[in-house]
Amino acid sequence: MITVDEALERILANVNVLEAEEKPLLEALGQVLAEDVSSGFDIPPLDNTAMDGYAVRAEDTRGASADSPVELRVAGEVAAGYVFAGEVTARTAIRIMTGAPVPAGADAVVPFEETDEPFDKPPERSHKVDATVRVFKEARPGANIRRAGEDIREGQTVMRKGRVLRPSEIGVLASLGRATAKVIRRPVVAILSTGDELVEAGQPRPAAKIYDANACSVGALVRRYGGAPRLLGIAKDTVEALTAKIHEGMHADMLITSAGVSRGDYDVVKDVLAREGDVEFWTVAMKPGKPLAFGCFQKGGRRVPHIGLPGNPVSSMVTFELFGRPAIMKMMGKTDWQRPMVRAVAEERIVNRDDARRFYARCIVRLREGRYYASLTGPQGSGMLTSMVHANALTVIPPEVDEVQPGQEIDVIMLDWSHGEEWGSNLLAGEEGDRR
Ligand code: AMP
Ligand code: MG
């Protein structure tokens, strides 16, 4: 028997970071930047106004108040996207819109709110030009002006390789004028279900057969963590069928199979895997998900790592979370693949019947008055996929702990931070859901 940590270490040692590719920005969401990015210009490019109002010389507003306003002649106006050709001279002002470059000669912007221009109804364009504006408040030099380069300076390194592109990074790249970014490509993950009992969704189901759940649950996890799933379908438990499907999987960056890896299995899966690649069969000290296969297949100078998940639907999802997810993230160039773990107060007794295995029970974690509380999702059979549907976390009960009492603190791995539909609550907002 090997520990979860040993199994993960061995898997990650056999998985490599993939090559970079140039991607349109929106498609690169969640991918890792493979280049340092610097700016070719200042952002903002010019000094500009943060408010709608009047560009003025601050000294001209000295002493202005509601009782004794200063009157300035409005010499023109400028909208965002245009440069005002003239200059602000003594006792004049230029009507200016948010984002417009500050005209030469001006060193402050007086917002409409501090003038006699009504700002609560849309002013008619140019209605003040060539008229006068009354300023009710003194402006200090620099007021309401955003300086050129105050966000990003020309030549500055804005982001370094290794950064994960979130919406904000993608926005910054766009503001630099970039249409594409160089990122580590997403792994293509081939997914194969095995077992004579399986039928594909959409097909008629004979009495003794079950629909294939694993291909879809694992495929969805692959997609969630950034990979590109390629479903190979179902292989019957025959040497020919399995061998053919495994060969198809060799075009991918990783192959995930499910079922047929348990010790007592009457299955040809293990034989075929062992023959086609350098595959080991492990007994991992975890519940659910004790049997696990891992190996590498060689094809045309390429090594394709393979993870053989157990067949029970809960086991295959949990083992994928613990081993498949980090592997995908490493291939994508990510270095931070630890799931957030928090301490939670057990709300009920949790029995770990197995004294050799770590217990990943499915649970619901809620935040109440600053503390996390965990309750199980009900029966924990590894064939009961609905226990995953109700869960937003997994407990981490060490093998040596036989029983956790209500009120005791345990570690939980968060899978989702909210449990919206089921409980009508958002955990982070601290709202109490509907308890059952
Ligand atoms: P095995 O690992 O082959 O011993 O399978 C363990 C259990 O998981 C059996 O009850 C299988 O019928 C079930 N199982 C295997 N593959 C799938 C699948 N793709 N979808 C749903 N159940 C499965
Ligand atoms: Mg089987």
Side-chain angles (χ1 to χ4, degrees):
M1 190 130 81
I2 64 172
T3 66
V4 169
D5 299 335
E6 279 164 357
L8 179 59
E9 201 177 305
R10 288 205 218 168
I11 290 170
L12 290 180
N14 281 285
V15 165
N16 299 316
V17 180
L18 300 175
E19 329 76 70
E21 62 179 354
E22 195 78 23
K23 265 298 221 15
L25 283 192
L26 257 190
E27 286 166 37
L29 180 65
Q31 287 179 266
V32 171
L33 198 59
E35 57 174 332
D36 291 342
V37 172
S38 59
S39 179
F41 52 91
D42 281 345
I43 297 180
L46 300 167
D47 288 358
N48 67 91
T49 174
M51 300 284 281
D52 293 331
Y54 287 89
V56 299
R57 300 173 351 140
E59 62 188 85
D60 289 347
T61 67
R62 202 165 295 149
S65 70
D67 298 335
S68 69
V70 162
E71 242 174 52
L72 303 175
R73 191 176 64 81
V74 181
E77 69 177 351
V78 59
Y82 299 92
V83 172
F84 185 72
E87 201 172 318
V88 176
T89 53
R91 308 203 64 76
T92 68
I94 301 295
R95 197 162 175 272
I96 192 167
M97 307 306 140
T98 302
V102 175
D107 63 353
V109 171
V110 178
F112 286 147
E113 293 87 322
E114 293 168 12
T115 72
D116 65 349
E117 171 152 347
F119 61 90
D120 49 347
K121 37 187 144 122
E124 264 172 50
R125 199 171 161 76
S126 301
H127 87 288
K128 275 281 186 187
V129 174
D130 286 330
T132 56
V133 62
R134 283 141 66 90
V135 174
F136 297 126
K137 217 172 152 185
E138 231 178 59
R140 60 175 171 76
N144 300 311
I145 293 176
R146 305 189 284 214
R147 293 292 170 199
E150 73 175 17
D151 188 6
I152 296 170
R153 286 230 151 270
E154 178 181 346
Q156 181 189 332
T157 302
V158 184
M159 278 175 231
R160 296 200 184 275
K161 63 171 75 142
R163 176 170 280 271
V164 179
L165 299 185
R166 300 170 304 165
S168 47
E169 280 78 12
I170 286 180
V172 166
L173 287 166
S175 72
L176 295 172
R178 300 281 304 255
T180 61
K182 195 175 167 195
V183 290
I184 310 287
R185 72 175 175 83
R186 300 181 186 280
V188 174
V189 180
I191 297 168
L192 176 61
S193 298
T194 70
D196 283 354
E197 73 274 39
L198 302 177
V199 284
E200 228 163 88
Q203 300 300 313
R205 186 187 60 83
K209 308 281 180 183
I210 56 172
Y211 285 119
D212 172 8
N214 297 351
C216 285
S217 59
V218 171
L221 288 172
V222 166
R223 183 164 289 165
R224 173 188 266 191
Y225 301 135
R230 181 174 297 163
L231 303 191
L232 301 180
I234 297 162
K236 293 261 182 232
D237 288 329
T238 69
V239 174
E240 299 70 36
L242 267 164
T243 309
K245 286 287 190 187
I246 285 171
H247 287 176
E248 263 183 67
M250 291 300 93
H251 302 288
D253 299 301
M254 183 157 81
L255 170 65
I256 308 259
T257 59
S258 72
V261 294
S262 346
R263 191 122 58 102
D265 256 345
Y266 160 75
D267 274 318
V268 288
V269 180
K270 288 202 283 192
D271 298 344
V272 175
L273 289 177
R275 210 185 55 200
E276 292 297 315
D278 186 7
V279 176
E280 293 176 32
F281 297 89
W282 297 339
T283 305
V284 185
M286 63 183 286
K287 185 171 79 175
K290 178 161 73 171
L292 192 78
F294 179 73
C296 288
F297 295 97
Q298 306 282 346
K299 167 97 192 262
R302 282 188 340 119
R303 279 174 90 242
V304 181
H306 159 249
I307 303 179
L309 306 174
N312 275 308
V314 174
S315 310
S316 64
M317 284 194 81
V318 172
T319 47
F320 185 86
E321 280 286 345
L322 296 182
F323 306 115
R325 176 179 176 274
I328 285 181
M329 292 176 79
K330 180 171 179 187
M331 285 192 269
M332 292 185 73
K334 299 187 182 185
T335 51
D336 187 12
W337 51 70
Q338 299 279 27
R339 273 238 179 244
M341 186 133 92
V342 299
R343 297 284 287 168
V345 178
E347 298 207 84
E348 63 191 278
R349 195 162 143 257
I350 305 171
V351 180
N352 185 9
R353 286 185 213 294
D354 194 315
D355 53 12
R357 298 194 279 159
R358 193 187 273 174
F359 187 22
Y360 294 100
R362 277 73 72 205
C363 64
I364 304 144
V365 171
R366 295 191 203 78
L367 183 61
R368 288 204 302 270
E369 288 158 12
R371 283 187 93 180
Y372 292 106
Y373 292 85
S375 52
L376 300 188
T377 55
Q380 296 289 310
S382 57
M384 302 172 76
L385 200 46
T386 52
S387 70
M388 285 294 282
V389 170
H390 301 306
N392 64 353
L394 298 172
T395 69
V396 185
I397 313 284
E400 63 278 8
V401 174
D402 300 331
E403 225 178 276
V404 172
Q405 299 304 330
Q408 233 172 295
E409 277 203 343
I410 55 170
D411 286 328
V412 295
I413 297 174
M414 297 307 297
L415 300 175
D416 291 297
W417 284 100
S418 69
H419 211 274
E421 317 119 58
E422 176 72 18
W423 298 91
S425 69
N426 179 316
L427 292 166
L428 278 187
E431 288 165 23
E432 168 84 63
D434 177 27
R435 298 280 316 273
R436 287 197 284 204

